[in-house]
């Protein structure tokens, strides 16, 4: 996972190309994106920015899954 | 219901089918165009097409075509959020944590006591969360379908807290449809067959404008990890229409190799 601060998440959230958007998800440790966004051509304009953020193996979700 | 197969009389495609094909950046093959036209004709013939607000055949040749709303190809194209994984002729798969697709749509044919929501899952996954949902982007989900996880399928239509699980269920690939025809009960259908009904007083869905695939767009979103090949929402369907819906969608998915 790519780990972001709230300010970083707010800065990159939104449409990156038609039909594609980034929307960082809040977790206990901050905000995250899947690393697959790094190789998605839809987000190419932000690729270098995204690659500069730290990565983590595991994060803790804010809520327990519910049915 | 009579199933239409093969080339159309006089080789003509319905205007609706042409509009779908024209919305694809990469034009469909003639075989795919025929499959699309057959599906649309059969949906119209069964009286299903007229009830739909949104219809996505995610098992498409490419991700752009997969995101097209067949009912109105110029509106409600799904947006990919955080790069869900696309597999040609299969659909989109989530990671259970961050990925999904969505559009903003105020329900039209779908009404509080006259609504369906449906999905086809190709994989079980492990997530307990919904595969298709109608929420308000804040705190409320009033319609959701969990096509299948390791144990069961469930639905919720037009209420905020009560789900109905499938009595018998089925393994993937599976089409799960939640249906409501009155204010008192909601029903779950598995592969076109009724498989459970539960009491749940209905609540308004007019504000449920977030239609999502692979997640539930709440203030804290909930994500699925399954592969979803089809999703739809609209007005309630009769038992016969639901059986026909399964036949039509399953035939399309089989023809493209998804099931």
């Amino acid at each position: 996972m790519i780990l972001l601060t709230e300010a970083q998440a707010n800065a990159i959230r939104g449409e990156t190309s038609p039909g594609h958007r980034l929307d960082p998800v809040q977790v206990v440790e901050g905000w995250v994106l899947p690393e697959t966004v790094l190789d998605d051509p839809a987000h190419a304009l932000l690729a270098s920015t995204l690659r500069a953020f730290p990565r983590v193996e595991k994060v803790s979700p804010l809520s327990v899954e519910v049915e | 219901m009579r199933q239409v197969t093969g080339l159309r009389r006089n080789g003509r495609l319905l205007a609706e089918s042409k509009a779908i094909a024209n919305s694809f950046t990469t034009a469909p093959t003639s075989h795919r165009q025929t499959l699309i036209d057959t599906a649309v004709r059969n949906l119209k013939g069964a009286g299903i097409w007229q009830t739909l607000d949104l219809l996505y055949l995610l098992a498409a040749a490419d991700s752009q075509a997969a995101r097209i709303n067949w009912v109105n190809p110029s509106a409600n194209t799904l947006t990919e959020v955080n790069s869900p994984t696309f597999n040609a002729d299969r659909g989109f798969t989530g990671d259970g944590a961050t990925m999904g697709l969505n559009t903003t749509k105020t329900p039209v044919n779908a009404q509080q006591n006259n609504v369906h929501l449906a999905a086809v899952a190709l994989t079980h996954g492990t997530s307990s969360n919904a595969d298709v949902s109608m929420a308000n982007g804040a705190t409320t989900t009033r319609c959701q379908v969990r096509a299948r996880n390791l144990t069961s399928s469930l639905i919720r239509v037009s209420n905020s807290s009560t789900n109905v699980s499938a009595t018998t269920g089925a393994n993937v690939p599976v089409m799960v449809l939640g249906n409501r025809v009155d204010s008192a009960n909601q029903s779950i259908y598995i592969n076109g067959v009724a498989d459970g009904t539960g009491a749940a007083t209905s609540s308004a869905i007019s504000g449920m404008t977030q239609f999502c695939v692979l997640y539930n767009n709440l203030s804290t979103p909930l994500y699925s990890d399954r592969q979803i090949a089809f999703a739809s929402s609209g007005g309630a369907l009769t038992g016969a229409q639901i059986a026909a819906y399964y036949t039509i969608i399953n035939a399309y998915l089989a023809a493209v190799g998804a099931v």
Side-chain angles (χ1 to χ4, degrees), chain A residues 19 21 23 36 40 43 67, chain B residues 80 82-83 99 146 163 223:
Chain A
R21 61 179 282 122
D23 195 357
T36 50
D40 189 339
H43 311 306
E67 290 188 357
Chain B
E80 295 180 40
N82 298 340
S83 303
M99 300 170 175
R146 184 180 78 200
N163 297 314
Y223 295 89

Side-chain angles (χ1 to χ4, degrees), chain B residues 187-209:
Chain B
S187 300
I188 182 169
Y189 288 76
I190 303 294
N191 293 337
V193 178
D195 198 29
T197 294
T201 302
S202 70
S203 304
I205 61 169
S206 54
M208 301 298 109
T209 58

Side-chain angles (χ1 to χ4, degrees), chain B residues 47-70:
Chain B
I48 298 166
W49 181 264
Q50 299 83 333
T51 74
L52 297 172
D53 284 335
L54 300 169
L55 172 63
Y56 300 99
L57 273 299
L58 303 166
D62 60 58
S63 62
Q64 185 275 332
R67 296 186 285 106
I68 295 295
N69 170 26
W70 280 26

Side-chain angles (χ1 to χ4, degrees), chain B residues 166-186:
Chain B
T167 303
T168 306
N171 288 320
V172 292
V174 64
M175 178 176 180
V176 179
L177 186 147
N179 199 53
R180 179 185 282 273
V181 297
D182 58 37
S183 64
N185 296 295
Q186 53 186 357

Side-chain angles (χ1 to χ4, degrees), chain A:
Chain A
M1 294 280 192
I2 302 168
L3 184 63
L4 304 91
T5 65
E6 182 171 10
Q8 291 166 337
N10 289 337
I12 63 152
R13 180 177 293 111
E15 187 176 75
T16 55
S17 59
H20 303 265
R21 61 179 282 122
L22 293 174
D23 195 357
V25 174
Q26 189 174 15
V27 294
V28 172
E29 294 83 356
W31 299 77
V32 293
L33 287 169
E35 292 185 32
T36 50
V37 303
L38 297 172
D39 299 318
D40 189 339
H43 311 306
L45 288 176
L46 285 175
S48 60
T49 301
L50 294 169
R51 288 186 190 283
F53 295 134
R55 301 182 203 179
V56 292
E57 286 287 319
K58 197 170 182 180
V59 293
S60 303
L62 282 185
S63 62
V64 176
E65 292 181 345
V66 295
E67 290 188 357

